[in-house]
Amino acid sequence: MAKKDKIRRPKAETPKGFRDYFGAEVTQRKAMLDAIAEVYHLYGFEALESSAVETVESLGKFLPDVDRPNEGVFAWQEDEDADWLALRYDLTAPLARVYAQHRNELPTPYRRYAMGPVWRNEKPGPGRFRQFYQCDADTVGTASVAADAEICAMLADTLEAVGIERGDYIIRVNNRKVLNGVLEVAGLAGDDKARERGIVLRAIDKLDRLGIGGVRALLGEGREDKSGDVTEGAGLNDAEISIIMSFVQAFDKAQQRLALEATAAFDEGNEDRGKQLDRARNCVMDETRDLYLGDIEAHSIWTDRVLNVLQEITGHSAVGLEGVNELRSIAALNKSSGYADGRIVIDPSVVRGLGYYTGPVYEAELTFDVQNEKGQTVQFGSVAGGGRYDDLVTRFTGQPVPATGVSIGVDRLLAALIAKGRIDKTPAGPVVVTVMDRDRMADYQTICATLRQAGIRAEVYLGNPKNFGNQLKYADKRGSPAAIIQGTDEAARGVVQVKDLILGAKLAQEASLEEWKENPSQTEVPLADLVPFLQKLLA
Amino acid sequence: MAKKDKIRRPKAETPKGFRDYFGAEVTQRKAMLDAIAEVYHLYGFEALESSAVETVESLGKFLPDVDRPNEGVFAWQEDEDADWLALRYDLTAPLARVYAQHRNELPTPYRRYAMGPVWRNEKPGPGRFRQFYQCDADTVGTASVAADAEICAMLADTLEAVGIERGDYIIRVNNRKVLNGVLEVAGLAGDDKARERGIVLRAIDKLDRLGIGGVRALLGEGREDKSGDVTEGAGLNDAEISIIMSFVQAFDKAQQRLALEATAAFDEGNEDRGKQLDRARNCVMDETRDLYLGDIEAHSIWTDRVLNVLQEITGHSAVGLEGVNELRSIAALNKSSGYADGRIVIDPSVVRGLGYYTGPVYEAELTFDVQNEKGQTVQFGSVAGGGRYDDLVTRFTGQPVPATGVSIGVDRLLAALIAKGRIDKTPAGPVVVTVMDRDRMADYQTICATLRQAGIRAEVYLGNPKNFGNQLKYADKRGSPAAIIQGTDEAARGVVQVKDLILGAKLAQEASLEEWKENPSQTEVPLADLVPFLQKLLA
């Protein structure tokens, strides 16, 4: 017998950091994910839905910036003998497990896409939830950078498919090997330099925000921001700083060279060549980028010069040279498939946070302006990223299995689409068939069934029909485009009144008393004509 | 510093009772859920996606047949002060929480649909997993049985929308109040008769399997099955048994009456009426049901007689009479909207397991034959069910909030569609552009990009291209309809070889040596004609 506690009502609340999604919030996200899945499928990727629950052992400890086991994930143990289980925190760790488990049956390369919720046991904050969607595509089992190049092209197609226009996004590509190369050349490759490497990579990652001076400060003594907060520096010497900064300023260097080349061409009287070189010089700069979108030749020259600069800096390191050559291959592949026209660009400032990347890394940035929470105008920023992670499956099998993939930040991309007005925020509610006469419910259901059979979203008002005003309030709350009214009189004459609620709402705001009295938002319609009448109204 | 353990590889395994879903398994289910959502939306329901994680307190203890708290769910507690959290075990308990939490902002009635995974911490078995999909629609905040009638109609439309043909399903409707009425009339209403009531309801639920004799035995002394297993009986006396059995045999009684009525009509020379009554007599019987599908008049007469019989048995109980009257309303509503033509029938043997139902209950049964695991031919059976549960929200708010809803067994319905051949089991893989010459990767990507731009699913082979046979094996494993081959010679001539892999597979099985040598499955196509050629091949 259970003890009888005092009756205590449970709190009706989502757990802290969780939320519910209603109506359009669900269907808008779904429509976006459907559009993404269609592109992924077109590119040859197959769907995979792995279980939401994994053993803690197989998930491993891949969450960055987390030291304790199980930290960052929701985990539990049924009893002392059972495996610890946990909710997946991303879609990549489960992919590694799936591939290791099923590799004998799966084709190689294994190309899969996955979308669904992931869970993080982290401190929630504004707009930061403990359950959110991810949407990934990965190619497992190939070392070819053609797989990386392809994912960049797919990312461009995906963004356009969901409604981000060409010119409003840019896919930036870099290579961890190039970053490792410059660190090696700067003498920071050793085990004892892990702290310095971390600071250097984070500083490069912040180039956009801090500018050249800020990055330089972080490489040296450190940096004090406006609020007085001090960020510790890497403490590099001048020679080391100089190497890293030449890398950070690779774009400036390439621009300077192209300016010299262009000047020389003009001096030689070769105006066409000069203009071409000048276009190349400006084709990826924030201010002029839009002008050269689609100019494959300008981007090709630009890419070549940037890669030359990178090779000069990192080419003395074997890994650095390998990285530059991989970037050359990616650039060539993207050029031949037509995507290296400003949509996809090589950019040495791309770092990507996750520790496990081993080769090419890429991210998609939206370049249009939005207001941030402080009311400042800022670029929308990153909505997707990924890269090559050749060691993820190794922990299961002992074998290296090269892989590369991308993850789209579903909520951020959806927010971008809403910000750009690409999504109708208030999709139409159902036509509401009101109940004037409780005993004639069957008639109202019949009208409603007729509308549904014609594909018109409709429902009979199912609440208490006593107060007719409540029925119209309900229709209003549902965003109904029209209400159908049929009293005894109308029924006898075989007609209904159709109340155009959208026009009605407009009139309520704008109409003069006269207009209002004419009541143009209400029309008597023969029952037999109701379907075509509504089809016209809803069109 | 973390302790250095010996390197031990994690097992690449889903936790026990969980599984992964690959390719078509994902997309087939998605297509089915999309079709269902479209019908739910047409009926005016709004999407809701509640969080997968709930507090244990708010989930409550609604899982049937489970006594210990937290049993049956996956639950955990972060630390001793924190709330216990758990994964939802269905979509109804979260709906109750959502409605209680947001009721001031939500319209009333609140009509929502939800689809997604739920989790049960139960012993897994063959085909029985600890994560599975549910797909629900509910109307919260109305006592009107029009809401119940509507859900039955929607269930019929939904089954047809996903591909179950009319005649292959039947929606059965009953009312818990009628069941309570007959229990009251039989003297089993008291608190001390809970055990007996449970046995009686389970016995009625098993009418299909056990037949009249089996049910009768369970009402009395109990029953021994073929294997010798004994099921305890309710131990009712003859008078009590007689009342319950008259209820169980309500269909027989209604049939007998209609036979007498028909005979009388024929005797009176009223042949049309006699035939009509005879059709009514047979319209819901397993053997003859198909013949009378669509005959609204026959079903209307039949329903009237069944309800008369039920009223005679339970009418002395106030709740029983209320239940019969509700069923009459539902039947009338379904008749006027055109669904009471054999698609939706009143059936007193419907019980539905869950304890919380308080009014109308309904279930969708698929009536076509399949082979069960023992190789026997059986009807496919139930794929959806639901009913009215007026008390679910009460525990949060103290107020009664009437609600009714349906849940579709997603996996079972999908299995039914596959069994009926309604789903293409092997959707086409991508066209594979093979790699004859590693240095010409860019050309292959260009070909591939052209295909994708034309909407043709395609990919370049991204594995190691050294062994060409592996490339064709890969295409085979992916279910590719065609492989594109271009060596140096073909490239020079601006052509490709297209290998029709479907024809090729057929030839490999059937062709004579001569036919095989002609190699009709391989065609040389000018690169410029590749898109139209493939479009024709794939059509």
Side-chain angles (χ1 to χ4, degrees):
Chain A
M1 285 282 124
K3 259 193 292 180
K4 273 210 175 169
D5 293 319
K6 255 189 283 181
I7 289 170
R8 185 179 150 273
R9 291 205 190 114
K11 280 193 297 262
E13 278 175 16
T14 38
K16 212 175 137 196
F18 290 86
R19 59 161 293 196
D20 304 311
Y21 295 82
F22 293 90
E25 293 173 331
V26 179
T27 50
Q28 287 166 352
R29 182 175 58 201
K30 180 180 180 306
M32 190 183 84
L33 291 174
D34 284 356
I36 294 172
E38 201 177 321
V39 178
Y40 286 2
H41 182 262
L42 183 70
Y43 270 74
F45 291 84
E46 290 290 338
L48 168 68
E49 187 170 327
S50 64
S51 60
V53 178
E54 296 274 352
T55 63
V56 165
E57 178 190 37
S58 98
L59 275 184
K61 199 188 78 58
F62 282 103
L63 267 186
D65 313 323
V66 160
D67 283 332
R68 281 188 291 147
N70 300 355
E71 200 178 356
V73 301
F74 291 105
W76 63 89
Q77 190 184 29
E78 274 318 294
D79 56 63
E80 284 184 15
D81 301 329
D83 287 337
W84 274 87
L85 303 182
L87 290 172
R88 64 185 178 202
Y89 58 79
D90 74 359
L91 300 174
T92 309
L95 170 63
R97 193 267 306 153
V98 166
Y99 185 77
Q101 181 172 350
H102 300 282
R103 64 191 184 283
N104 292 332
E105 299 86 52
L106 291 172
T108 295
Y110 176 53
R111 292 156 64 72
R112 82 88 180 84
Y113 69 86
M115 36 191 65
V118 302
W119 293 265
R120 302 261 171 105
N121 190 3
E122 290 167 349
K123 209 177 153 181
R128 192 181 152 94
F129 296 97
R130 306 210 285 179
Q131 171 178 333
F132 54 93
Y133 267 71
Q134 287 192 337
C135 174
D136 290 17
D138 295 77
T139 296
V140 180
T142 179
S144 168
V145 293
D148 301 276
E150 181 201 45
I151 281 186
C152 294
M154 184 169 75
L155 202 42
D157 282 359
T158 301
L159 293 175
E160 295 189 20
V162 301
I164 303 291
E165 281 171 10
R166 200 169 296 185
D168 274 346
Y169 69 89
I170 188 164
I171 318 286
R172 303 182 192 276
V173 188
N174 192 13
N175 195 325
R176 274 293 172 87
K177 290 177 183 170
V178 176
L179 289 165
N180 291 339
V182 72
L183 291 168
E184 189 183 318
V185 170
L188 302 173
D191 276 351
D192 57 331
K193 299 285 187 183
R195 190 191 73 92
E196 286 81 356
R197 283 200 300 274
I199 294 175
V200 169
L201 290 179
R202 281 194 296 277
I204 294 173
D205 200 25
K206 287 181 191 153
L207 176 59
D208 255 10
R209 255 174 299 155
L210 305 184
I212 295 292
V215 172
R216 197 185 180 95
L218 283 178
L219 300 183
E221 296 303 305
R223 184 177 167 275
E224 186 176 326
D225 69 14
K226 281 181 194 162
S227 72
D229 284 347
V230 175
T231 309
E232 192 189 20
L236 306 190
N237 64 34
D238 283 352
E240 292 163 341
I241 290 177
S242 161
I243 290 167
I244 304 290
M245 287 312 295
S246 70
F247 177 82
V248 169
Q249 294 179 279
F251 267 29
D252 298 333
K253 185 83 159 196
Q255 273 203 306
Q256 288 159 16
R257 290 211 186 151
L258 280 164
L260 291 174
E261 285 185 66
T263 307
F266 284 121
D267 287 350
E268 287 163 18
N270 193 343
E271 190 146 339
D272 285 351
R273 179 66 179 161
K275 283 183 181 167
Q276 191 181 49
L277 292 164
D278 210 42
R279 288 202 302 276
R281 188 171 69 92
N282 292 306
C283 69
V284 301
M285 297 303 127
D286 277 354
E287 303 72 24
T288 47
R289 190 170 49 214
D290 285 355
L291 296 172
Y292 305 103
L293 186 64
D295 187 336
I296 291 192
E297 206 42 50
H299 281 97
S300 179
I301 295 171
W302 167 257
T303 303
D304 176 69
R305 301 306 187 273
V306 169
L307 288 170
N308 289 347
V309 171
L310 293 180
Q311 184 160 346
E312 286 162 23
I313 300 165
T314 68
H316 297 296
S317 146
V319 69
L321 185 61
E322 196 180 317
V324 171
N325 286 335
E326 287 180 0
L327 286 178
R328 273 194 212 283
S329 296
I330 290 173
L333 287 164
N334 286 331
K335 186 182 173 191
S336 67
S337 56
Y339 289 84
D341 60 353
R343 286 181 278 170
I344 306 174
V345 303
I346 304 293
D347 187 333
S349 73
V350 173
V351 174
R352 302 294 306 158
L354 279 175
Y356 56 64
Y357 290 123
T358 54
V361 286
Y362 30 86
E363 68 185 15
E365 201 178 302
L366 302 190
T367 53
F368 56 81
D369 290 340
V370 287
Q371 306 283 110
N372 70 8
E373 56 277 17
K374 291 177 194 160
Q376 298 159 321
T377 298
V378 294
Q379 285 205 344
F380 192 91
S382 176
V383 291
R388 182 164 282 280
Y389 49 99
D390 285 342
D391 303 326
L392 200 61
V393 180
T394 315
R395 43 190 293 274
F396 292 107
T397 64
Q399 310 291 320
V401 176
T404 188
V406 67
S407 183
I408 291 178
V410 172
D411 294 323
R412 271 188 67 73
L413 183 54
L414 191 59
L417 293 175
I418 290 170
K420 286 293 272 185
R422 291 284 181 281
I423 282 179
D424 182 12
K425 261 185 271 190
T426 50
V431 170
V432 172
V433 180
T434 60
V435 178
M436 290 291 276
D437 181 351
R438 192 190 285 258
D439 295 335
R440 292 188 35 253
M441 207 62 190
D443 292 345
Y444 301 128
Q445 285 288 13
T446 307
I447 294 173
C448 189
T450 310
L451 299 184
R452 287 168 178 165
Q453 271 147 31
I456 297 170
R457 189 179 189 208
E459 60 176 62
V460 175
Y461 179 72
L462 290 173
N464 188 336
K466 211 167 56 183
N467 180 333
F468 191 71
N470 279 349
Q471 300 195 43
L472 291 183
K473 268 186 216 154
Y474 172 81
D476 187 47
K477 200 154 194 175
R478 292 297 306 278
S480 304
I484 310 295
I485 304 165
Q486 192 194 53
T488 321
D489 167 58
E490 280 97 351
R493 293 189 292 120
V495 301
V496 294
Q497 301 289 335
V498 178
K499 216 174 155 59
D500 180 338
L501 297 171
I502 293 161
L503 181 59
K506 215 176 140 208
L507 289 174
Q509 292 194 325
E510 298 171 6
S512 67
L513 191 61
E514 251 93 279
E515 288 172 319
W516 182 248
K517 276 183 183 163
E518 280 174 26
N519 199 4
S521 66
Q522 190 160 322
T523 316
E524 184 171 301
V525 180
L527 201 47
D529 299 341
L530 181 58
V531 165
F533 182 88
L534 284 175
Q535 279 167 337
K536 209 173 143 198
L537 186 76
L538 302 175
Chain B
M1 286 282 126
K3 258 192 293 180
K4 274 210 176 170
D5 293 319
K6 254 188 284 182
I7 289 171
R8 185 178 151 273
R9 291 203 189 117
K11 280 193 296 265
E13 277 176 16
T14 39
K16 212 176 135 195
F18 290 86
R19 58 162 294 196
D20 304 311
Y21 295 82
F22 292 90
E25 294 173 331
V26 179
T27 50
Q28 287 166 353
R29 183 176 56 201
K30 180 179 181 305
M32 191 183 83
L33 290 174
D34 284 356
I36 294 172
E38 202 177 318
V39 178
Y40 286 1
H41 182 261
L42 183 69
Y43 269 75
F45 291 84
E46 289 290 339
L48 168 69
E49 187 169 325
S50 65
S51 61
V53 177
E54 297 274 352
T55 63
V56 165
E57 179 190 36
S58 97
L59 275 184
K61 198 191 78 58
F62 282 103
L63 268 186
D65 312 323
V66 159
D67 284 330
R68 278 189 293 147
N70 300 355
E71 198 178 356
V73 302
F74 291 105
W76 64 88
Q77 189 184 28
E78 275 316 297
D79 56 63
E80 284 185 16
D81 302 329
D83 287 336
W84 273 88
L85 303 181
L87 290 172
R88 64 184 179 204
Y89 57 81
D90 73 1
L91 299 173
T92 310
L95 170 62
R97 193 267 305 151
V98 167
Y99 185 77
Q101 181 173 351
H102 300 282
R103 64 190 183 282
N104 292 331
E105 300 86 51
L106 291 172
T108 297
Y110 176 53
R111 293 156 64 72
R112 83 87 180 84
Y113 70 84
M115 36 191 65
V118 301
W119 293 266
R120 301 262 170 103
N121 190 359
E122 291 166 350
K123 209 177 154 183
R128 194 180 151 92
F129 295 98
R130 307 210 284 179
Q131 172 178 332
F132 54 94
Y133 267 72
Q134 287 193 339
C135 175
D136 289 18
D138 295 75
T139 296
V140 179
T142 180
S144 167
V145 292
D148 301 276
E150 181 201 44
I151 281 186
C152 293
M154 184 168 76
L155 202 42
D157 282 0
T158 301
L159 292 175
E160 294 189 22
V162 301
I164 304 291
E165 282 171 9
R166 201 169 296 185
D168 273 347
Y169 69 87
I170 187 163
I171 318 288
R172 302 182 192 277
V173 188
N174 194 13
N175 195 324
R176 274 295 173 88
K177 291 177 182 170
V178 175
L179 290 165
N180 291 339
V182 72
L183 291 168
E184 190 183 317
V185 169
L188 302 173
D191 276 352
D192 57 332
K193 300 286 188 182
R195 190 192 72 92
E196 286 81 356
R197 282 201 298 276
I199 295 175
V200 169
L201 290 179
R202 283 195 295 277
I204 293 173
D205 201 25
K206 287 182 192 154
L207 175 59
D208 256 10
R209 258 175 297 155
L210 305 184
I212 295 293
V215 173
R216 195 184 182 96
L218 283 177
L219 300 182
E221 296 303 305
R223 186 178 165 275
E224 186 177 327
D225 70 13
K226 279 181 196 163
S227 73
D229 284 347
V230 175
T231 309
E232 191 188 20
L236 306 190
N237 64 35
D238 283 353
E240 292 164 342
I241 291 178
S242 161
I243 290 166
I244 305 290
M245 287 312 295
S246 69
F247 177 82
V248 170
Q249 294 180 281
F251 267 28
D252 297 334
K253 185 83 157 195
Q255 273 204 305
Q256 287 158 17
R257 288 207 188 156
L258 280 164
L260 291 173
E261 285 186 65
T263 307
F266 283 121
D267 286 351
E268 286 163 19
N270 193 343
E271 190 146 338
D272 284 351
R273 179 66 180 164
K275 282 183 180 167
Q276 191 181 49
L277 292 164
D278 211 43
R279 289 202 301 277
R281 188 171 70 94
N282 291 306
C283 70
V284 302
M285 296 304 126
D286 277 354
E287 302 73 25
T288 47
R289 190 168 51 215
D290 285 357
L291 295 172
Y292 305 104
L293 186 66
D295 187 337
I296 291 193
E297 207 40 52
H299 281 96
S300 180
I301 296 171
W302 166 258
T303 303
D304 177 68
R305 301 305 187 273
V306 169
L307 288 170
N308 288 347
V309 171
L310 293 180
Q311 184 161 346
E312 286 161 25
I313 299 166
T314 69
H316 298 294
S317 146
V319 69
L321 186 59
E322 197 181 317
V324 172
N325 285 334
E326 287 179 1
L327 287 178
R328 272 193 212 283
S329 296
I330 290 173
L333 288 164
N334 286 331
K335 187 182 171 189
S336 66
S337 56
Y339 289 84
D341 61 351
R343 284 180 278 170
I344 305 175
V345 303
I346 305 293
D347 186 334
S349 73
V350 174
V351 173
R352 304 293 307 159
L354 279 174
Y356 56 64
Y357 290 123
T358 54
V361 286
Y362 29 86
E363 67 184 15
E365 201 177 302
L366 302 190
T367 53
F368 56 80
D369 291 340
V370 287
Q371 305 282 110
N372 70 8
E373 57 277 17
K374 292 177 194 157
Q376 298 158 323
T377 299
V378 293
Q379 285 205 343
F380 192 90
S382 176
V383 290
R388 181 164 282 280
Y389 50 97
D390 286 342
D391 304 327
L392 200 61
V393 179
T394 315
R395 45 190 293 272
F396 293 106
T397 65
Q399 310 291 321
V401 176
T404 188
V406 67
S407 183
I408 290 178
V410 172
D411 294 322
R412 273 189 64 73
L413 184 55
L414 191 59
L417 293 175
I418 291 169
K420 286 293 274 186
R422 292 283 182 281
I423 283 179
D424 182 10
K425 264 183 270 190
T426 49
V431 169
V432 171
V433 180
T434 58
V435 178
M436 289 292 276
D437 182 350
R438 194 190 285 259
D439 295 335
R440 290 190 37 255
M441 207 62 189
D443 292 345
Y444 300 129
Q445 286 288 14
T446 306
I447 294 173
C448 189
T450 310
L451 299 185
R452 288 168 178 166
Q453 271 147 32
I456 297 170
R457 189 179 190 209
E459 60 175 62
V460 175
Y461 179 73
L462 291 172
N464 188 336
K466 211 168 55 184
N467 180 334
F468 192 71
N470 279 348
Q471 300 196 43
L472 291 183
K473 268 185 216 155
Y474 172 81
D476 187 47
K477 200 154 193 176
R478 291 296 307 276
S480 304
I484 311 295
I485 304 165
Q486 193 195 51
T488 320
D489 166 58
E490 280 96 353
R493 292 189 292 121
V495 300
V496 295
Q497 301 289 334
V498 178
K499 216 172 155 61
D500 180 337
L501 296 171
I502 293 162
L503 180 60
K506 215 176 139 207
L507 288 175
Q509 291 194 324
E510 297 171 9
S512 66
L513 192 61
E514 253 93 276
E515 287 172 321
W516 184 249
K517 276 183 182 162
E518 282 174 23
N519 199 4
S521 66
Q522 190 159 322
T523 314
E524 184 171 299
V525 179
L527 201 46
D529 299 339
L530 182 58
V531 166
F533 182 87
L534 283 175
Q535 279 167 336
K536 207 173 145 198
L537 185 75
L538 302 175

